[in-house]
Each structure stands twice: as structure tokens, then as C-alpha cells.
């Protein structure tokens, strides 16, 4: 089987779960219960782990695009016999509008085929494989022409308008013709085997209603800055990665798409990271509305719970689950043979000293939204995080890239400790007398002095990734963005220039460190922001547009890019890549933004 490139996938979402659709018309990833649930289609990580393909039998040329301001995908196939459009979506609840999107999604995958010219012979193949490919369901033909697939905890019901579907032993295969002006709809409805009945929708009507739901949602969210088309689309992608019941944002849709083909750096990103918190908050504030930022903040506060001596985890499950322990899916062969495929993420157990700073920074960003006097739980959280930082900042940790070797004294971790105490001191008037301002301020100043002394490397001529290290790290670009140092500070300016020279490749892509073989999309957008802050706005704009050129044909970014081939790598779509785009565009619009 030919493995589609990662960039060949488009993203569907109902704001509870998501799916990937390849250019060839195959849905190769869908976890219908929620983003981090087991898949029923998993061909993206194993050719035998399930898919649903609808495409012309004859090969041809393909073009595709999202309907404006939606995650409804329209793919047009041009064949020698004619042209046909396949429009795909995960159904919204009928009539859902605005912030109702995703609250009661029916878990139905819609596919509508429309003849545009000529007469085109189409083929459908459905091979569901629940539980990451471990289960082969029984397929039962129904009296109304539908097929019911049942195995383990999953039932799937496939229906087609005007079609009587037939099941083989392990798949549904169906051929049909569509002429110009004709439409044939299919819907695949998921339900728990021991829960409610699967929803029954008219696919054509439900598809139109789902498009209206997305359009209505976006109409309530205005953006008036630079690059509005790209920002609005990235905001739509972020909405699509948001688990609406809780407000948590999944870092990506997928697990274990590799950082390097054939490599083993393959991790599960279907959880929500506190490390990304302040960046995500800013992106929501810029391109969405305070409601999304407020709901995300409420999820985080509830997930953290009462702060004690244990480190706050860097990530949580989408409903605030703390233990998301990792295991390897031994039977899955991995994307393009890249093993292992991991389910869960053990980074939740790491010590990450930057996490309190991310959370307190987000509180500072939302301070006016949260009110002049914080409630008891919010006060306790801020005070608890500040106290934890005050007592632990001297410890080593795993750093923002979540290394799995040894703990180090990472520069950015120390800077975010400074951020936690700096913003906590400024929030003191809202903490009802519970802030230990003199002590926090003294420790804050000690951290700053330590970073300035230990973080600078004279030989390299830059702030490096860890104390005593000569290794550059693109995360140092965050220092001016969290206002630790102005970008115009001589040492900070030198750091920006050195990182650009040594970690850049002239193609707009920036690596995280020198041995990193791939460009990391977010780091390139950080460099855009730093160039704006140094006064090089036009060069920043050129770099921004260069990075935009690396998106796939429907405007999606994975986590990384191969600087040699331009191929996308890593989990997709990657929230941080789109967050970086939004924040960089706004920095180009308003350089003074915090």
C-alpha cells in the first residue's frame, strides 16, 4: 500500500473528535468517542488498522479546499469520464450555532458525492478496525440497506441514500455511478455498544447544516489584523482541536506520526499541555474571543486542583485526567514503518519547572477578565504555584522539549520560574493579602541574576539552552516575549542573530538545536516575533510569508518540516504551529502586544 504523505491529509472535526482524509479519498484516522479515544480507522499508523475510502475507480487529478471558515472539506476528482466532488465533514448537532458547536456532536461522519460533469464510476470501501486495529467487527446487512459493524465496545452504522449496501466478511465494498447534477450521500454513525443508539441523519441536509454551524461560529469571532485569511483558518483549526465539553485544546489530532521517517521519536499528542498555555491563551484572545480563553483557563484550574508539593504535570487528559501513562501498541507497524506507536504520554510524570510560569502568565493575561479580586480557588492556585516555584527553582528538570535522558538546568525553565514570581508579584493586589511580595520579589531577582550570569555563554556569544552548555536552543527566543529581556538588549539581540544564523537554513525553517535534523514550525514563528521586536519588521514579514508557503494545500501545518524536501513531519494538525502563526501575525500587526 502506498503511504500518503503527512501533508496529504486534511482535518475534519466535530469539536469532540477528529478525522484525517487523504487526497485519495480515504479516511485513515478517526477516534469517534473523543480525540484521545481508540481509533476505528487507523491506517495512518498501520495499513491494516482500518479506513473508509470513496473515490473514482479511474485515476485522475485532485484538487480540494475547505468551504470558507469551516472544516468541511470539498475534494474534486477530475477523471477522463468526468468530474465529481466529494464533500466530507464530521456532523454538528442539528441546529447547533455559535458556542453550541461540539457540545452534543452526534459522532457521525458525512460524505456526499456530487456529479459535476460526465458520468463517473465510484468505488466505496469501508474496513473498520476498532481498538487501534485489534478488532475485526462482524458486519450485518440491515433490512433498510444499511450495514451494522459491531465489535467490542463499538458499533458503526453505514447508510447510503438510495443505496443497498452489501457486506463481505471483513469489509463493505460498493460501486455506483454519479452523473452531472446527481448527489449520493453516505453517513457512518458511531455509538457505544452499551450506550445510546447511533444518530440517524440525512447526509445531504446534515452536511449543509454543519457548514452553517461552522460559518455561524466564525461570524461571532472577529480578527482585524494582518493576514486575516490565514489567521482565521488557523483559528478554525484551533477550534477544531478544542474538546468542547471541557474547553481543553488537544496538542494535535494524532499519535506517533514520526519526527523522522523510520525513527522512534513518535509520541501521543492527543492531550492538552499546560506548557502551551499562555501561547494558546494569547492566540484565542487575538483570533477568537474571551469565551474560549476563559473556558480553557477554567479547565486548567480544575485539572491542576489544589497545588501541593508535587510538580504540576505538563499535560492532562482532555477532561483533566492526570495519569495518561504510556504504552506501546506492539501490533501497529507505524507510519511508514516508524515504530513504536505510543498510546498515552509519560511526560506527565516529568518535572517541568516552566509549567507554573505558564499558568501564572496566563492568569496575568486574563487578569481583567477574571476580575479585581480573585475567588478563593484562583487565589490559592496562584499563591500555591508561586510558593512551589520559590522552593524548587534551583532544581534541574526535563526542559520544554521533554527530554527523556537526564535532567538539566534549562535556561527557559529558569526564565519561566522568574515569570511565575514576577507576575505573581504584580497580581498581589488581587490575592487578598495572601501574597508574600517581599520574599517572592527577592527570589525573582535572584533567579534573574542567576539566568543572566549562568545562561550566557561568552564563547558562543549567546544565551544557550542550559546552564554551562554551548548548545544553542531556539527556546531562548521566548525571553523577549515573556519580557525577561528586551529584544534590543545587546546580548538578546546577539542571541537572536546567532540562533537565526546557526539554526536556520535560509528556507524560513528553524531547528530547535544544532543536532535537530528538522525545522520546527513554531520556532520559525518565534523568530518572526523576535525580528519585529528588534525593529526589523519588513524582514519579519518576509520570513512569515516564507513559512506560510510550507503549509499543505488546505493550509495545515504538522509539527515539523524536512528542510531538504519540505515534507511535513510529526503529528498533525499541530496546534502549536497554528498558534505560532496567529501570534506572529498579530505581532506584525501590533508590535507592542504582550
Amino acid at each position: 500500500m502506498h503511504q500518503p504523505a503527512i501533508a496529504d491529509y486534511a482535518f475534519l472535526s466535530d469539536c469532540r473528535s477528529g478525522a484525517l482524509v487523504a487526497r485519495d479519498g480515504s479516511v485513515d484516522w478517526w477516534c469517534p468517542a473523543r480525540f484521545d479515544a481508540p481509533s476505528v480507522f487507523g491506517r495512518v499508523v498501520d495499513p491494516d488498522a482500518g479506513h473508509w475510502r470513496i473515490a473514482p475507480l479511474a485515476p485522475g487529478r485532485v484538487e480540494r479546499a475547505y468551504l470558507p471558515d469551516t472544516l468541511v472539506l470539498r475534494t474534486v476528482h477530475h477523471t477522463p469520464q468526468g468530474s465529481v466532488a466529494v464533500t466530507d465533514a464530521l456532523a454538528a448537532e442539528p441546529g447547533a450555532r455559535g458556542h453550541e458547536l461540539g457540545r452534543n456532536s452526534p459522532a457521525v461522519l458525512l460524505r456526499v458525492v456530487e456529479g459535476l460533469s460526465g458520468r463517473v464510476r465510484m468505488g466505496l470501501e469501508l474496513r473498520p478496525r476498532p481498538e487501534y486495529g485489534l478488532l475485526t467487527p462482524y458486519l450485518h446487512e440491515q433490512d433498510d440497506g444499511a450495514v451494522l459493524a459491531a465489535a467490542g465496545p463499538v458499533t458503526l452504522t453505514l447508510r447510503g441514500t438510495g443505496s443497498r449496501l452489501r457486506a463481505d466478511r471483513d469489509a463493505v465494498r460498493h460501486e455506483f455511478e454519479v452523473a452531472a447534477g446527481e448527489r449520493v450521500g453516505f453517513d457512518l454513525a458511531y455509538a457505544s455498544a452499551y450506550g445510546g443508539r447511533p444518530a440517524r441523519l440525512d447526509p445531504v441536509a446534515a452536511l449543509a447544516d454543519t457548514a452553517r454551524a461552522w460559518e455561524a461560529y466564525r461570524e461571532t469571532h472577529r480578527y482585524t489584523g494582518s493576514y486575516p485569511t490565514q489567521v482565521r483558518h488557523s483559528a478554525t483549526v484551533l477550534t477544531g482541536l478544542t474538546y468542547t465539553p471541557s474547553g481543553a485544546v488537544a496538542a494535535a489530532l494524532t499519535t506517533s506520526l514520526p519526527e523522522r521517517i523510520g525513527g522512534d521519536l513518535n509520541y501521543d499528542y492527543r492531550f492538552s499541555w499546560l506548557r502551551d498555555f499562555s501561547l494558546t491563551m494569547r492566540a484565542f484572545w487575538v483570533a477568537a474571543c474571551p469565551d474560549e480563553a476563559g473556558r480553557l483557563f477554567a479547565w486548567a484550574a480544575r485539572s491542576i486542583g489544589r497545588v501541593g508539593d508535587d510538580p504540576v504535570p505538563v499535560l492532562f487528559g482532555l477532561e483533566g485526567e492526570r495519569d495518561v501513562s504510556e504504552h506501546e501498541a506492539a501490533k501497529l507497524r507505524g507510519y511508514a514503518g516508524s515504530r513504536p506507536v505510543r498510546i498515552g504520554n509519560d511526560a506527565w510524570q516529568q518535572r517541568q519547572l516552566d509549567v507554573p510560569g505558564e499558568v501564572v502568565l496566563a492568569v496575568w493575561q486574563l487578569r481583567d477578565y477574571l476580575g479585581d479580586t480573585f475567588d478563593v480557588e484562583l487565589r490559592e492556585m496562584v499563591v500555591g504555584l508561586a510558593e512551589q516555584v520559590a522552593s524548587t527553582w534551583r532544581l534541574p528538570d526535563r526542559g520544554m522539549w521533554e527530554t527523556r535522558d537526564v535532567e538539566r538546568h534549562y535556561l527557559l525553565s529558569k526564565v519561566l520560574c522568574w515569570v511565575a514570581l514576577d507576575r505573581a508579584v504584580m497580581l498581589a493586589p488581587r490575592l487578598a493579602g495572601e501574597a508574600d511580595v517581599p520574599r517572592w520579589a527577592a527570589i525573582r531577582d535572584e533567579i534573574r541574576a542567576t539566568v543572566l550570569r549562568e545562561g550566557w555563554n561568552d564563547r558562543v556569544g549567546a544565551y544557550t539552552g542550559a546552564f554551562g552548555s554551548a548548545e544553542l536552543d531556539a527556546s531562548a527566543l521566548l525571553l523577549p516575549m515573556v519580557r525577561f529581556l528586551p529584544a534590543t538588549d545587546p546580548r538578546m539581540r546577539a542571541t537572536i542573530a546567532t540562533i537565526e544564523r546557526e539554526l536556520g537554513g535560509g528556507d524560513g525553517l528553524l531547528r530547535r538545536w544544532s543536532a535537530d535534523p528538522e525545522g520546527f514550525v513554531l520556532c520559525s514563528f518565534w523568530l518572526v516575533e523576535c525580528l519585529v521586536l528588534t525593529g526589523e519588521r519588513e524582514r519579519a514579514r518576509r520570513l512569515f510569508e516564507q513559512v506560510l508557503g510550507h503549509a499543505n494545500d488546505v493550509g495545515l501545518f504538522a509539527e515539523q518540516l524536512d528542510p531538504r524536501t519540505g515534507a511535513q513531519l510529526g503529528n498533525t494538525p499541530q496546534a502549536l504551529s497554528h498558534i505560532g502563526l496567529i501570534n506572529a501575525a498579530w505581532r506584525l500587526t501590533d508590535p507592542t502586544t504582550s
Side-chain angles (χ1 to χ4, degrees), residues 218-395:
R218 190 51 50 203
E219 286 170 2
T220 65
H221 301 77
R222 299 298 181 187
Y223 171 80
T224 57
S226 302
Y227 302 97
T229 300
Q230 293 86 351
V231 168
R232 286 170 65 89
H233 181 54
S234 285
T236 300
V237 172
L238 281 188
T239 300
L241 288 169
T242 300
Y243 180 68
T244 294
S246 68
V249 179
L253 180 65
T254 54
T255 179
S256 300
L257 297 189
E259 296 181 13
R260 187 184 308 174
I261 300 299
D264 62 356
L265 299 178
N266 318 320
Y267 300 110
D268 194 345
Y269 280 13
R270 298 173 299 157
F271 307 106
S272 195
W273 264 252
L274 288 186
R275 166 173 301 110
D276 311 339
F277 203 49
S278 65
L279 298 174
T280 308
M281 285 287 196
R282 184 153 68 99
F284 270 145
W285 202 268
V286 165
C289 74
D291 286 349
E292 279 87 351
R295 292 186 66 247
L296 176 60
F297 182 85
W299 166 84
R302 184 181 181 92
S303 298
I304 291 169
R306 193 180 297 276
V307 178
D309 295 332
D310 293 335
V312 176
V314 68
L315 69 135
F316 290 90
L318 300 178
E319 292 186 355
E321 301 89 346
R322 184 166 291 217
D323 186 341
V324 291
S325 293
E326 180 179 299
H327 69 275
E328 295 181 4
K331 292 191 175 182
L332 295 177
R333 285 170 276 181
Y335 176 87
S338 305
R339 287 181 167 176
V341 174
R342 293 182 170 95
I343 310 300
N345 195 308
D346 277 344
W348 77 272
Q349 301 182 75
Q350 294 181 351
R351 177 164 51 231
Q352 298 283 354
L353 295 179
D354 57 338
V355 171
E358 284 284 344
V359 177
V360 178
L361 179 56
V363 176
W364 173 252
Q365 291 171 336
L366 284 177
R367 62 193 181 280
D368 294 332
Y369 180 81
L370 295 170
D372 292 335
T373 301
F374 295 165
D375 63 33
V376 173
E377 291 184 4
L378 181 55
R379 291 200 307 269
E380 287 189 359
M381 184 181 76
V382 173
V383 171
L385 292 172
E387 288 294 335
Q388 187 175 98
V389 167
S391 62
T392 62
W393 75 270
R394 294 181 181 277
L395 297 173

Side-chain angles (χ1 to χ4, degrees), residues 14 28 30 35 62 80 85 108 143-144 147 149 159 185 189-190 262-263 267 285 302 319 350 354 387 394 478 491:
D14 60 10
D28 287 350
W30 187 30
F35 292 112
V62 174
V108 178
D143 291 341
D144 62 357
V147 172
R159 295 185 175 89
Y190 160 83
Y267 300 110
W285 202 268
R302 184 181 181 92
E319 292 186 355
Q350 294 181 351
D354 57 338
E387 288 294 335
R394 294 181 181 277
L478 282 170
R491 284 187 165 186

Side-chain angles (χ1 to χ4, degrees), residues 26-306:
S26 182
V27 179
D28 287 350
W29 184 254
W30 187 30
C31 304
R34 68 183 219 183
F35 292 112
D36 54 354
S39 63
V40 295
F41 302 140
R43 186 155 72 165
V44 72
V45 289
D46 188 288
D48 295 325
H51 68 278
W52 181 19
R53 185 168 187 261
I54 298 179
L57 296 180
R61 179 171 58 88
V62 174
E63 56 187 9
R64 59 185 183 166
Y66 288 111
L67 303 187
D69 289 332
T70 79
L71 291 179
V72 176
L73 179 72
R74 187 173 189 265
T75 302
V76 178
H77 301 267
H78 300 284
T79 76
Q81 293 74 37
S83 296
V84 63
V86 181
T87 305
D88 298 322
L90 283 171
E93 180 187 15
R97 297 293 183 266
H99 292 282
E100 297 172 349
L101 183 64
R103 292 197 183 277
N104 294 291
S105 298
V108 178
L109 182 52
L110 305 169
R111 313 197 73 181
V112 174
V113 182
E114 180 182 5
L116 303 178
S117 66
R119 190 170 188 87
V120 180
R121 189 78 179 163
M122 303 290 293
L124 176 155
E125 182 178 66
L126 173 76
R127 292 173 59 89
R129 295 293 183 268
E131 295 282 311
Y132 302 109
L134 291 176
L135 294 174
T136 299
Y138 288 99
L139 301 176
H140 305 283
E141 296 177 2
Q142 306 295 292
D143 291 341
D144 62 357
V147 172
L148 173 70
V154 171
T155 63
L156 294 167
T157 304
L158 175 66
R159 295 185 175 89
T161 54
S163 302
R164 174 164 287 279
L165 301 170
R166 299 296 184 187
D168 297 336
R169 178 179 173 80
D170 65 346
V172 177
R173 296 178 179 89
H174 179 63
E175 292 186 10
F176 61 100
E177 284 189 346
V178 61
E182 294 180 345
R183 286 190 295 187
V184 180
F186 299 91
D187 63 286
L188 182 67
Y190 160 83
S192 167
Y194 305 103
R197 291 175 173 273
R200 184 163 188 169
L201 303 176
D202 175 276
V204 175
L207 188 70
D209 186 66
T210 298
R212 286 195 296 271
W214 280 101
E215 291 161 358
Y217 184 89
R218 190 51 50 203
E219 286 170 2
T220 65
H221 301 77
R222 299 298 181 187
Y223 171 80
T224 57
S226 302
Y227 302 97
T229 300
Q230 293 86 351
V231 168
R232 286 170 65 89
H233 181 54
S234 285
T236 300
V237 172
L238 281 188
T239 300
L241 288 169
T242 300
Y243 180 68
T244 294
S246 68
V249 179
L253 180 65
T254 54
T255 179
S256 300
L257 297 189
E259 296 181 13
R260 187 184 308 174
I261 300 299
D264 62 356
L265 299 178
N266 318 320
Y267 300 110
D268 194 345
Y269 280 13
R270 298 173 299 157
F271 307 106
S272 195
W273 264 252
L274 288 186
R275 166 173 301 110
D276 311 339
F277 203 49
S278 65
L279 298 174
T280 308
M281 285 287 196
R282 184 153 68 99
F284 270 145
W285 202 268
V286 165
C289 74
D291 286 349
E292 279 87 351
R295 292 186 66 247
L296 176 60
F297 182 85
W299 166 84
R302 184 181 181 92
S303 298
I304 291 169
R306 193 180 297 276

